[in-house]
Structures are given as C-alpha cells and as structure tokens.
Amino acid sequence: MKSYPIVIARMLAFLLVILAVHWLDRFVPLYFLLIAGAAGIMLLSLVTSVPGCRFLATLETSDRLAIWIVLVVLTVIGYLHNANIWVSDGVLHRPQDISLWKTELILAVSLATPLAHWLAGLLVPQLVSMNGQRFATEFALYVNFSGIALVLWTGEATLSWLTLGAALALMVLAELTLYASR
C-alpha cells in the first residue's frame, strides 16, 4: 500500500486546522448541541437499538473508543476556543491566552490528522485500512509530537512560515514513527 496520499491528506488537514482555529472567534451553541446529541446516541446505543444507528451496536470496542475520542476532543476544543478572547487581525484572529491556544491547537491537530486518514479509508477502502485502534494510536502520537513542541515554544500565536515549517517537521517525524511501527 502506498501511504503518500494519506501523508498528503494529513498535512493538508493539519494546515487547514491551523487556519480554521485562527479564522473563528467563537463556536456557536449549536456546535455543542450536536456533540451532546451524538454522545447521547452513543450512550443510548449501548443499552438499546437506536433507529437509523444500528451500526453502532456492531462496532468493535476500539472503534467505539475512537468515536468517544472524537466527541470528547471536539467538546474540549470548543470549550477552550470559546474561553479564549480573540482579537481580529483582519481576516484571522489572534488569541489573548497563549496557553489556551496551545492546548486547543494540540488537540485540533492531533484530531485532524487521524480523521484525514479515516476519511481516506472511507473514500478508498481497498487501499487504506483504518480502525479504532489505529485511530487511537495516531491520535496519541500526534498529541505527543505536537504537544511537546508547542509547550516548549514560547513565541506569539501568529501564523508565520517559521511556525508552519516547524509544524511540517513535526509531521514528518510523526509519519516516520508511524511508518516504522508497521
């Protein structure tokens, strides 16, 4: 299996997440209602059959874990984003609390990269295999790589070529680690 399309998809997702985090200044309450609804359906599916969601009962434990990772991380991202004060720089916004921004960015990048892999698996299932265990592994790997780098970084929360270059270098390290773990 050639993995370069997956790597390219993850890198694009990574860059789009960085831009999206700076583009939005607030998540609307509907965002949180949708996540709560999805979590409610997941919980209900553990007890009874939910019409239109019968596939949930057939999921492996690792796949359910992956869904919970997505729901929890999306909730935390929304909370951190709304807890921060964002000042407009024109089209993009600059956060006032860098520690909140760093945590949000770590989670957003760590979630976007395995989601890109999962989406590629949906689009081309014969070439890409992605299950809940692989999703959790990739998520943990990206949390570690991006987390360590952003915690050590003390600069301002502005987009620059240097920031994007450093992020790209971390992605290459994460991809090499994933490749070596096969």
Side-chain angles (χ1 to χ4, degrees):
M1 172 181 86
K2 302 229 184 228
S3 62
Y4 63 87
I6 307 278
V7 173
I8 291 169
R10 280 198 283 252
M11 288 183 177
L12 286 174
F14 184 90
L15 294 174
L16 290 174
V17 162
I18 290 174
L19 289 174
V21 165
H22 284 273
W23 181 61
L24 297 172
D25 63 345
R26 266 195 105 53
F27 285 101
V28 296
L30 179 61
Y31 172 85
F32 296 103
L33 287 174
L34 290 173
I35 293 171
I41 290 171
M42 283 289 297
L43 286 174
L44 193 58
S45 74
L46 295 173
V47 180
T48 185
S49 178
V50 179
C53 298
R54 293 199 171 114
F55 71 93
L56 291 173
T58 63
L59 290 177
E60 300 278 332
T61 303
S62 63
D63 293 332
R64 287 178 190 243
L65 171 65
I67 292 171
W68 281 112
I69 288 171
V70 171
L71 293 174
V72 169
V73 171
L74 286 174
T75 302
V76 172
I77 288 169
Y79 172 78
L80 292 172
H81 195 83
N82 286 354
N84 212 340
I85 297 169
W86 293 83
V87 178
S88 179
D89 275 352
V91 175
L92 300 176
H93 297 83
R94 178 189 302 253
Q96 293 299 300
D97 187 329
I98 301 301
S99 61
L100 287 177
W101 173 79
K102 284 181 180 181
T103 306
E104 177 187 356
L105 191 59
I106 290 165
L107 291 172
V109 165
S110 299
L111 186 61
T113 50
L115 278 176
H117 189 176
W118 172 77
L119 184 60
L122 287 178
L123 296 174
V124 193
Q126 64 275 17
L127 294 178
V128 179
S129 67
M130 181 68 156
N131 60 20
Q133 184 177 2
R134 177 76 180 190
F135 184 93
T137 301
E138 288 186 17
F139 177 78
L141 181 67
Y142 276 99
V143 164
N144 288 333
F145 272 112
S146 57
I148 290 168
L150 284 177
V151 166
L152 295 175
W153 179 55
T154 60
E156 289 186 32
T158 58
L159 294 178
S160 68
W161 288 111
L162 184 61
T163 303
L164 293 176
L168 186 63
L170 288 170
M171 290 199 66
V172 168
L173 285 172
E175 290 298 330
L176 289 173
T177 304
L178 282 171
Y179 181 77
S181 70
R182 289 186 196 143

